[in-house]
Amino acid sequence: MVKSATVLVVDAGGRGAALIHKYSQSKHVGKLLAVPGNDLMGLNTTKNLKIFPDLKTTDVKEIVNISKRENVTLVDVAQDNAVEAGLTDHLIKTGIMTLGPTRMAGQIEWDKAWARNFMKKYKIPTPVYRVFNSTKPAKEFISKNPNKRFFIKAAGLAEGKGAIPAENTKQAFDAIDQMSKFKKAGETFLIEQWLDGEEFSMFAITDGKTFQIVGSAQDHKRLYDADKGPNTGGIGCSTPPLIVNENIYKQAELIIKKTIQGLAVEGRQYKGVLYLGAIVVNNKVFVIEFNARWGSPEAEVLVPGIQSDIFEIAVHVSKGTLDDIKIKTDGNARVAVTGSLKPGIPEKQRELFGLKKVLKLKDVTMYGARVKREKDRYFVSSGRLFHVVAEGKTVIDARKKVYEAMSQLFIEGDNLHYRTDIGWRDLERLKKNDLRS
Ligand code: GLY
C-alpha cells in the first residue's frame, strides 16, 4: 500500500465533504484535493486540502491534468455527471487508480431508459414502464390509460428533479411538457407505473466481481414536512431504516448481485459504489432507480460509519481484489438534516450564524455544500446549503441531537428552511413498539 497517498475527490457538495472527511482518516493519505470542492470541506480535516472551485466535475481534461501534475494516487469519481463524462475511463488510460464506474457501466444511472431495459433483460423487478422520444405518443398513451397514476421521468441526469409524479391526466400532460426543460436529459423519457410503498436505498461497494453491502438509508425527497411539496435531490436522511428487515435485505442483496453480474455479462464491469433506490410494495422490493455513486445526503450518514480504511477499500476495488478484505462499519444510527434557504425568497447572499457552536457539539458533524467562507464568516445564497449529521444508538437518539444542533443555526432575516420530521417513519415504528412493550 502507498505510504503517503494523494487522493482527489470529484464532487461539489456534502457527499464530497463526507468523503474528504473519511479519506482524511486513512493512515495512507497525506494530501487531499477536491474538484470543485467547497469552502466547508476544510472543517472536516486537519490534513493538507486543496480545492479547485473554478473547475466543473465534467472538466475531464483539466482533472486528468491536475491528477498528473499533483501526483494523485487515487481519484474518487463521486458525482454522477463526472461518471457520464467518462472521467473514470480517461483516468484509467492515464494509469491513475479510480473509485467510480466507467461511462459504460455508469449508464445504469445516466440513461434510465437503457437501465430499465437492462433490468427487464436480467429479470430485476421494476415498475411497468414505457419509453418515449416525443410528446404526442406519450400523451396518446396517457389518454388511453385514464384514471391511472404515473411517474414521468427524464431518462438523463436532472439533478434529482427529473421524476415527476402525475395523479391524473392533466398532471401527466403537464409533466410530459416539462421534459423539454431538462434539455438533452429529457429528450427521451419514461412513463412508469406509480407504486405505492415505502422507499429505501441500499449501497454496495463492488470491484465488478464481488460486492459488499455497506449500509441502507431512508432519504426524504419532498421539501416540506409530512412528505409534502416538490421533490428535491434529498433533504434529510436516516440510517438504518427499519423497513429493511431480513427478508427485504435478502431481496435487495439479490437485486444488487444480479445487477453487478448482468453488467459484467454485458461487458460493462462495474467498479465503485452502486446505489439501489428501492420501494417495498406488499413485502416485495422493486427498483425505482440505480445510481452510479453514493447518494447525498445518504453518503453523509453512511460514509462516517465506515470503520475500515477507505483508501484501502478503494485500492482493492480498483485492483479487483475486494474479496481480500471485509469492510467494517460501526452500526450506529445517524440522521442528516439538510439546510436550505426558505423557499421562494429572492436569491442573494445572506450570512449564516451558529456554525461554530454546532461544530463543538458531541456526536454532531456538519458537511457543507453551498456555504461560502470569508475569513471567520459564512455566507449562503441558494440551493442545498449544508447537512448536519448526528449519530446515536438509535434513530430517536440521533434525531434528538441533530435537531438540537439545527436549533443553533440561523440565516440572516430568519431565512433557514429545514424539515423537522426526518426519520418520522422509524420514529413512529419505534414509538408503537414502546407502547406494546
Ligand atoms: N438523495 C438522492 C440522490 O442522491 O440521488
Side-chain angles (χ1 to χ4, degrees):
M1 217 36 86
V2 187
K3 277 241 166 59
S4 186
T6 298
V7 172
L8 165 60
V9 173
V10 179
D11 195 89
R15 166 183 44 219
L19 288 167
I20 288 285
H21 190 188
K22 192 48 63 179
Y23 280 109
S24 77
Q25 293 165 356
S26 165
K27 65 174 185 272
H28 305 284
V29 176
K31 187 172 160 196
L32 292 154
L33 311 175
V35 171
N38 67 59
D39 281 6
L40 293 199
M41 278 180 174
L43 297 177
N44 308 114
T45 173
T46 50
K47 286 191 178 160
N48 184 350
L49 167 72
K50 185 165 162 191
I51 62 169
F52 296 84
D54 298 329
L55 284 185
K56 293 199 191 92
T57 50
T58 48
D59 286 340
V60 171
K61 207 166 150 214
E62 199 42 39
I63 296 173
V64 172
N65 285 342
I66 288 171
S67 304
K68 288 194 216 157
R69 199 171 67 225
E70 303 272 349
N71 278 323
V72 168
T73 325
L74 174 99
V75 180
D76 191 319
V77 183
Q79 203 159 302
D80 51 9
N81 53 7
V83 173
E84 185 184 21
L87 177 59
T88 307
D89 310 60
H90 284 85
L91 289 163
I92 290 171
K93 271 191 213 138
T94 324
I96 295 168
M97 282 193 287
T98 54
L99 184 73
T102 58
R103 179 177 152 79
M104 293 298 274
Q107 193 164 3
I108 195 128
E109 170 166 15
W110 58 259
D111 181 352
K112 297 202 176 344
W114 183 88
R116 280 294 184 227
N117 293 335
F118 165 83
M119 289 178 229
K120 196 167 165 188
K121 180 170 174 187
Y122 288 91
K123 300 193 172 24
I124 293 165
T126 75
V128 178
Y129 69 95
R130 293 275 297 265
V131 178
F132 294 92
N133 294 304
S134 62
T135 55
K136 197 164 169 273
K139 287 186 179 173
E140 280 167 9
F141 173 80
I142 294 291
S143 299
K144 282 188 201 139
N145 289 278
N147 308 321
K148 284 197 181 151
R149 296 180 302 155
F150 293 104
F151 268 83
I152 319 295
K153 287 187 182 174
L157 299 179
E159 296 179 346
K161 297 184 183 93
I164 305 179
E167 303 210 33
N168 53 46
T169 303
K170 183 182 173 315
Q171 286 180 6
F173 278 25
D174 285 351
I176 290 167
D177 288 336
Q178 282 185 57
M179 289 297 119
S180 60
K181 87 176 178 209
F182 300 116
K183 306 220 165 63
K184 204 165 170 355
E187 277 173 11
T188 298
F189 59 92
L190 296 91
I191 299 182
E192 292 193 356
Q193 174 192 15
W194 177 308
L195 295 178
D196 281 309
E198 185 169 337
E199 292 184 30
F200 71 94
S201 45
M202 185 176 268
F203 295 81
I205 294 185
T206 175
D207 61 1
K209 296 179 283 187
T210 179
F211 69 94
Q212 296 183 38
I213 309 282
V214 264
S216 305
Q218 196 155 49
D219 193 10
H220 297 59
K221 295 231 165 60
R222 301 290 192 115
L223 185 60
Y224 300 116
D225 283 7
D227 292 333
K228 299 263 188 313
N231 265 335
T232 65
I235 192 143
C237 187
S238 65
T239 186
L242 297 178
I243 180 83
V244 185
N245 57 27
E246 206 182 322
N247 165 31
I248 300 300
Y249 186 97
K250 278 193 184 144
Q251 290 184 52
E253 189 183 36
L254 181 61
I255 287 173
I256 287 170
K257 185 174 174 189
K258 281 184 176 179
T259 304
I260 291 166
Q261 286 178 345
L263 287 168
V265 171
E266 297 291 315
R268 297 165 184 252
Q269 192 180 44
Y270 190 103
K271 290 184 172 196
V273 176
L274 182 67
Y275 164 155
L276 162 66
I279 186 164
V280 180
V281 183
N282 297 329
N283 282 319
K284 186 166 160 41
V285 178
F286 292 84
V287 179
I288 301 224
E289 62 179 357
F290 279 108
N291 291 320
R293 53 177 171 86
W294 292 104
S296 183
E298 293 91 331
E300 290 87 320
V301 294
L302 291 173
V303 170
I306 297 175
Q307 287 189 314
S308 307
D309 189 309
I310 193 167
F311 178 79
E312 290 180 14
I313 297 172
V315 169
H316 281 289
V317 168
S318 174
K319 292 191 169 158
T321 53
L322 188 61
D323 239 1
D324 289 355
I325 55 164
K326 170 88 190 84
I327 302 173
K328 289 200 188 97
T329 54
D330 65 11
N332 284 345
R334 285 185 176 79
V335 175
V337 175
T338 303
S340 67
L341 279 183
K342 278 201 176 143
I345 63 160
E347 286 188 11
K348 69 167 188 139
Q349 186 156 288
R350 294 176 164 87
E351 189 159 3
L352 168 67
F353 300 101
L355 191 137
K356 281 189 200 134
K357 278 192 197 158
V358 167
L359 295 177
K360 285 190 194 132
L361 297 173
K362 190 171 172 291
D363 297 335
V364 174
T365 319
M366 189 163 174
Y367 296 121
R370 291 194 187 197
V371 179
K372 290 271 161 226
R373 181 176 187 170
E374 283 175 25
K375 296 203 174 113
D376 272 348
R377 296 172 70 188
Y378 299 91
F379 295 90
V380 296
S381 54
S382 67
R384 289 193 293 184
L385 305 172
F386 56 81
H387 312 269
V388 176
V389 183
E391 66 181 71
K393 287 272 165 273
T394 64
V395 166
I396 296 184
D397 187 20
R399 206 172 176 269
K400 192 163 168 284
K401 290 179 198 168
V402 81
Y403 281 117
E404 273 166 18
M406 289 306 288
S407 73
Q408 306 289 320
L409 292 163
F410 300 92
I411 292 175
E412 197 181 322
D414 191 20
N415 276 314
L416 174 61
H417 169 76
Y418 58 91
R419 275 182 62 162
T420 63
D421 66 345
I422 302 302
W424 66 268
R425 285 185 186 80
D426 284 346
L427 193 69
E428 281 182 6
R429 280 193 183 98
L430 291 164
K431 274 187 190 159
K432 268 188 207 147
N433 281 349
D434 274 356
L435 289 177
R436 273 188 222 129
S437 61

